Amino acid sequence: MVDVDELVAAARVVSLPMRVRFRGITAREALVFEGPAGWGEFGPFPEYQDAEAANWLRAGIEAAYDGLPEPSRTGVAVNATVPAVTAEQVPDVLARFPGCRTAKIKVAEKGQSLADDLARVAAVRAAMPGGAIRVDANGGWTVDEATEALSRLVADGPLDYAEQPCATVEELAEVRRRLDGACDIAADESIRRAGDPMRVAELGAADVAIVKVAPLGGVRAVLKVADALKAAAGVRVTVSSALDTAVGLSAGIVAAACIEDGNAAGLGTGGFFTADLGEHPLVDGALQVRTVAPTEEQLAAVEVVGERRDWWLARLRRCHALL
């Protein structure tokens, strides 16, 4: 294991400003560092406790010190990601995802109603005729709310899947039972924030597994979980972003390029930032596998110093002690 003082010495804390509010934030903070194999990222969201956040550090160390597996493809198709914006804002959001034929739409946002969700999804359907539609509730509905909302959404057109409609695995299983095949259910938080990611398979709670590199502890860990879930329950696998910087997104693209499911990955999130640590150009709805090495100019433009830097360095030390 790399020495923590070496990581601290290499650490750069950054704050990437965002075009729209996403996951309740308008700037994305993360810590990045360079190692012998490249750059790694440590960016667990502030509300995550150290035991959970330690996996994010494990993923960053893998990228920077161990290197990533060799992918089987050179690029991956991605979905457009539509935050909980108004229906009128949808065309502007979709314009940042040229060539994408799948869209994932945030629903169940606090302070909004089902009517807002229905209008947002309808606007995406109108702007992307014939495209595949996914919705993501981030566990924001009860079982009854999810059943009603998804029943109304599928009445207007098919859904590729509904991501984490409720918070618990047991609730996902009940919603899946109630919908009886009308809509596939995807598990996100129930995999990446679970002590046992296989519970979704054991309880028949999901048709699709959303896997993310940083929360699961690295690309190799993602591939292991994906293989186990497919073998146990025959689930489809979608690799998604944890709102990563361009550094972390590089690892996500590699993971998606190692999986042959062919699902559009949820990795097209770079367009939400007005400044980043590199570029992953979206061309014809796809991202290419490429390494990002931030320049000093890119780092300096978004670097955080003072109290926030100290907060991240202390967090780094605590999480490193848990590995």
Side-chain angles (χ1 to χ4, degrees), residues 4 8 11 13 31 42 50 57 307-321:
V4 68
V8 168
V13 178
L31 183 155
F42 173 58
D50 291 349
L57 180 56
E307 181 180 344
R308 291 307 298 166
R309 182 177 188 275
D310 294 342
W311 185 89
W312 276 99
L313 292 180
R315 193 184 199 193
L316 170 65
R317 288 186 179 278
R318 295 195 309 270
C319 290
H320 184 275

Side-chain angles (χ1 to χ4, degrees), residues 289-308:
V289 177
R290 62 189 301 269
T291 300
V292 163
T295 66
E296 180 58 34
E297 182 180 9
Q298 287 169 326
L299 287 162
V302 292
E303 190 163 14
V304 172
V305 296
E307 181 180 344
R308 291 307 298 166

Side-chain angles (χ1 to χ4, degrees), residues 242-256:
L243 201 56
D244 311 297
T245 76
V247 168
L249 198 62
S250 299
I253 296 170
V254 167

Side-chain angles (χ1 to χ4, degrees), residues 120-132:
R120 187 180 311 112
V121 173
V124 174
R125 291 190 193 278
M128 189 184 285

Side-chain angles (χ1 to χ4, degrees), residues 209-213 222 237-241 251-253 255-256 259 264-267:
I210 310 299
V211 292
K212 300 181 178 181
V213 168
V222 160
V237 175
T238 299
V239 178
S240 193
S241 164
I253 296 170
I259 295 174
L267 297 170

